[in-house]
Amino acid sequence: MERLQVLKGTFCSLDAFQKQLLIGSAVAAGGILAYMVQKRRQVKSIPLGEGWWGAGEKPLSEDDQIYPFKVQTSDEEIEDLHERIDRTRYADPLEDSCFQYGFNSTHLKKVVSYWRHTFDWKKQVEVLNKYPHFKTKIEGLDVHFIHVRPPHRDNQKVLPLMLVHGWPGSFYEFYRILPLLTENQDGVVFEVICPSIPGYAFSEASHKQGFNSLAAARIFLTLMERLGFSQFYLQGGDWGSLITTNMSQMKPQCVKGLHLNMCMSNKGFKVMLSLIVGPYLPFLVGLSREDVRRLFPFFEKNVWEILKESGYFHIQATKPDTAGCGANDSPVGLAAYILEKFSTWTDNRNRDLEDGGLERKFSLDDLLTNVMIYWTTGSIVSSMRFYKENFKGNPDNRVDAKTGIFVPTGLAAFPNELLHCPKSWAQIRYRNIQSYNYMPRGGHFAAFEEPQLLANDFVQFVKKVEKF
């Protein structure tokens, strides 16, 4: 009160010119502050760009038709697989090592025995063809996707949705969640498009260097436009989270909502401060008790654990053709490389189990179907190259890293995800978070592991956006 009286007396002692100058300065400062707030809220976008990834020179015109596609196999393909499996040499595991050194070869022999003698690839091809497949040429590449329309019913709102997978998954990850999304959910139902990232599964790989998440995002935006959708929802994890984020940055006017089960935002003063203060006074830095439980001790959970799990990342981001050479020739090598991720990334405690906990969340038929998609298409090397293309330079210097995301966003934080991102960190980049929920269980492959949980979270997010 005394300080206020002093300020009042000081102001009264000023002459008219000084008062006007002071008032003008205050108004200007207020205007600058309002401008800065408005500018932060202003929707920004990143350039769409252009590209040509086909072999040779870009032609004058490109076929933009959409063609039906069917997954096929042959006796010769299966016989070749079996012959290669039969010639496999195994290294003996260390005693009591479980999955701490990678995929334990004792259990690998059991998985491979099932693959060789019980697994029915022809039957699984029929499962893959359960949904309609298509291909269309975009920027020189044959882009594969499945397109699932819900059964027609009156009084239901049909919303377009694109689901984007990551590595070492595929479009097949979404086969469990598709029935949940294409069924009526309190009047909401989705028409779902699941593309294969170029270089994965049945989508043609780039013939040129430089094909990164920005190029994939642009291709998928073209795909949605070609299918006749001017507005749609997006959902993704792993690479899918980055690609769908880029799509939202390129054409925010087209994206009604973005839902992610993985996001990262670990830069800046706010994050650094929360790491220092968070363990002691989390509420001061916007962390919840659950955030503290998942984040700390920080070095153990976010440095040491990531060092254990990121060896694949370093080699694929530097020498992918070397990394994938053996897996491209050996089906058992490919299976060990891929399935080890489905063990540890589902729950890192699976490293302490003799069987890696593989069948706690998945069936061997589902796991081997995903492996067979990589094997029969010969896409393991081209899928690895996506790491190299996205990390050729400092990713923080890319235009998408410097641009916020302004579309309505929903985040599902699964407890066994590789890295936890609190809401306060996510808000640094994602400026319009409508929904942030801690999932009770599940890990990296959310749609594959916990389809019902992910579907429920996505539907409640959409209802908020649609104001149901």
Side-chain angles (χ1 to χ4, degrees), residues 167-188:
W167 187 92
S170 65
F171 67 92
Y172 184 63
E173 286 181 67
F174 301 117
Y175 269 51
R176 289 183 177 184
I177 201 172
L178 278 169
L180 304 175
L181 296 173
T182 53
E183 293 175 357
N184 197 323
Q185 304 269 1
D186 295 331
V188 183

Side-chain angles (χ1 to χ4, degrees), residues 98-100 102-115 168 176 309 332-371 443 445 448-450:
C98 296
F99 270 55
Q100 290 289 350
F103 204 113
N104 185 288
S105 60
T106 299
H107 187 66
L108 180 61
K109 290 177 183 177
K110 296 177 182 178
V111 172
V112 171
S113 177
Y114 179 88
W115 193 9
R176 289 183 177 184
E309 290 302 320
V332 176
L334 176 69
Y337 196 75
I338 288 178
L339 296 186
E340 185 259 320
K341 303 307 180 192
F342 280 90
S343 165
T344 306
W345 294 359
T346 301
D347 188 337
N348 60 26
R349 292 170 295 186
N350 286 341
R351 292 189 297 242
D352 297 324
L353 303 176
E354 290 182 2
D355 64 355
L358 274 174
E359 293 180 72
R360 291 186 169 189
K361 290 291 182 76
F362 316 107
S363 70
L364 284 182
D365 281 344
D366 280 342
L367 290 170
L368 291 170
T369 296
N370 185 66
V371 171
F445 304 99
F448 213 18
E449 295 174 52
E450 299 289 347

Side-chain angles (χ1 to χ4, degrees), residues 212-284:
N212 58 18
S213 67
L214 297 169
R218 185 176 60 249
I219 282 177
F220 289 168
L221 285 169
T222 300
L223 174 60
M224 293 302 276
E225 180 182 346
R226 191 168 293 179
L227 291 170
F229 301 119
S230 58
Q231 287 193 310
F232 42 83
Y233 284 88
L234 299 171
Q235 202 289 323
D238 196 86
W239 282 128
S241 68
L242 179 57
I243 293 169
T244 54
T245 292
N246 290 161
M247 293 173 73
S248 302
Q249 292 172 305
M250 288 175 173
K251 284 194 173 182
Q253 71 276 15
C254 294
V255 180
K256 298 188 75 175
L258 169 68
H259 187 274
L260 307 175
N261 55 276
M262 177 182 178
C263 75
M264 294 184 185
S265 184
N266 55 3
K267 304 289 182 183
F269 176 75
K270 185 177 182 179
V271 173
M272 183 63 68
L273 182 65
S274 64
L275 292 180
I276 297 170
V277 178
Y280 313 104
L281 298 168
F283 61 91
L284 288 181

Side-chain angles (χ1 to χ4, degrees), residues 76-351:
E76 291 75 19
E77 184 175 64
I78 296 170
E79 287 170 10
D80 176 71
L81 171 72
H82 289 169
E83 288 173 5
R84 291 169 184 265
I85 287 175
D86 291 340
R87 292 198 302 268
T88 301
R89 294 191 303 172
Y90 297 87
D92 292 332
L94 295 173
E95 295 178 4
D96 304 318
S97 60
C98 296
F99 270 55
Q100 290 289 350
Y101 284 71
F103 204 113
N104 185 288
S105 60
T106 299
H107 187 66
L108 180 61
K109 290 177 183 177
K110 296 177 182 178
V111 172
V112 171
S113 177
Y114 179 88
W115 193 9
R116 174 66 174 83
H117 301 290
T118 306
F119 178 77
D120 188 340
W121 175 231
K122 288 185 177 180
K123 178 181 176 182
Q124 292 307 113
V125 165
E126 292 178 6
V127 172
L128 291 177
N129 287 323
K130 172 183 176 182
Y131 297 114
H133 293 248
F134 302 90
K135 282 191 176 185
T136 189
K137 187 79 77 172
I138 304 175
E139 297 189 10
L141 300 178
D142 270 329
V143 178
H144 161 260
F145 63 98
I146 60 174
H147 187 176
V148 187
R149 294 178 173 88
H152 177 74
R153 295 188 182 95
D154 295 330
N155 302 319
Q156 68 178 12
K157 190 170 187 178
V158 179
L159 300 170
L161 164 64
M162 176 178 279
L163 304 174
V164 184
H165 67 88
W167 187 92
S170 65
F171 67 92
Y172 184 63
E173 286 181 67
F174 301 117
Y175 269 51
R176 289 183 177 184
I177 201 172
L178 278 169
L180 304 175
L181 296 173
T182 53
E183 293 175 357
N184 197 323
Q185 304 269 1
D186 295 331
V188 183
V189 69
F190 300 95
E191 182 174 345
V192 186
I193 296 88
C194 298
S196 294
I197 300 170
Y200 289 69
F202 303 105
S203 278
E204 184 180 358
S206 173
H207 297 261
K208 295 174 171 58
Q209 298 180 48
F211 187 88
N212 58 18
S213 67
L214 297 169
R218 185 176 60 249
I219 282 177
F220 289 168
L221 285 169
T222 300
L223 174 60
M224 293 302 276
E225 180 182 346
R226 191 168 293 179
L227 291 170
F229 301 119
S230 58
Q231 287 193 310
F232 42 83
Y233 284 88
L234 299 171
Q235 202 289 323
D238 196 86
W239 282 128
S241 68
L242 179 57
I243 293 169
T244 54
T245 292
N246 290 161
M247 293 173 73
S248 302
Q249 292 172 305
M250 288 175 173
K251 284 194 173 182
Q253 71 276 15
C254 294
V255 180
K256 298 188 75 175
L258 169 68
H259 187 274
L260 307 175
N261 55 276
M262 177 182 178
C263 75
M264 294 184 185
S265 184
N266 55 3
K267 304 289 182 183
F269 176 75
K270 185 177 182 179
V271 173
M272 183 63 68
L273 182 65
S274 64
L275 292 180
I276 297 170
V277 178
Y280 313 104
L281 298 168
F283 61 91
L284 288 181
V285 287
L287 299 184
S288 69
R289 289 183 179 179
E290 183 63 16
D291 290 327
V292 172
R293 190 186 70 80
R294 294 187 184 190
L295 281 174
F296 301 104
F298 186 80
F299 185 86
E300 178 184 326
K301 292 187 175 182
N302 296 272
V303 179
W304 181 237
E305 278 297 326
I306 293 303
L307 284 174
K308 284 183 181 180
E309 290 302 320
S310 59
Y312 83 98
F313 180 96
H314 294 289
I315 191 168
Q316 289 178 193
T318 53
K319 306 292 173 131
D321 287 26
T322 303
C325 186
N328 193 58
D329 187 60
S330 165
V332 176
L334 176 69
Y337 196 75
I338 288 178
L339 296 186
E340 185 259 320
K341 303 307 180 192
F342 280 90
S343 165
T344 306
W345 294 359
T346 301
D347 188 337
N348 60 26
R349 292 170 295 186
N350 286 341
R351 292 189 297 242

Side-chain angles (χ1 to χ4, degrees), residues 48-54 58 62 138-140 208 215 218-219:
L48 194 61
E50 58 181 4
W52 173 259
W53 311 102
K58 181 179 180 180
E62 186 176 48
I138 304 175
E139 297 189 10
K208 295 174 171 58
R218 185 176 60 249
I219 282 177

